[in-house]
C-alpha cells in the first residue's frame, strides 16, 4: 500500500471512530455528518483505486446514514 492509500485509510478510520462515538452518545446530527464524511472518503478511495474492503467501517456503514 502506498503512502497515499495508508493516509487515506487512516483518515477513514478516524472518521469512522467519530461516527461510532456519535452513535454511542446518541448524537443524531453527528451520526449524519460523520456517515456522510466516511462515504465521501470511501468514494475518494474508490476513485483512486485504494482497496478499502478490509476496513471494518465498510461493513458497518448503513445505507442512507
Amino acid at each position: 500500500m502506498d503512502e497515499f492509500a495508508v493516509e487515506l485509510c487512516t483518515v477513514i478510520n478516524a472518521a469512522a471512530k467519530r461516527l461510532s462515538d456519535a452513535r454511542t452518545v446518541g448524537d443524531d446530527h453527528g451520526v449524519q455528518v460523520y456517515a456522510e464524511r466516511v462515504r465521501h472518503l470511501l468514494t475518494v478511495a474508490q476513485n483512486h483505486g485504494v482497496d478499502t474492503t478490509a476496513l471494518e467501517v465498510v461493513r458497518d456503514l448503513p445505507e442512507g446514514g
Side-chain angles (χ1 to χ4, degrees):
M1 195 178 293
D2 66 17
E3 188 175 334
F4 173 76
V6 170
E7 180 65 23
L8 186 54
C9 287
T10 299
V11 173
I12 292 169
N13 281 328
K17 169 72 168 103
R18 290 186 179 104
L19 173 59
S20 177
D21 292 347
R23 284 181 177 147
T24 298
V25 298
D27 177 3
D28 292 337
H29 177 71
V31 168
Q32 186 175 24
V33 168
Y34 287 112
E36 187 57 36
R37 173 79 171 145
V38 170
R39 279 192 195 87
H40 170 73
L41 291 167
L42 291 172
T43 299
V44 170
Q46 181 180 24
N47 290 343
H48 290 277
V50 176
D51 181 12
T52 59
T53 56
L55 297 177
E56 187 174 325
V57 68
V58 175
R59 295 186 301 270
D60 293 343
L61 191 64
E63 290 301 315

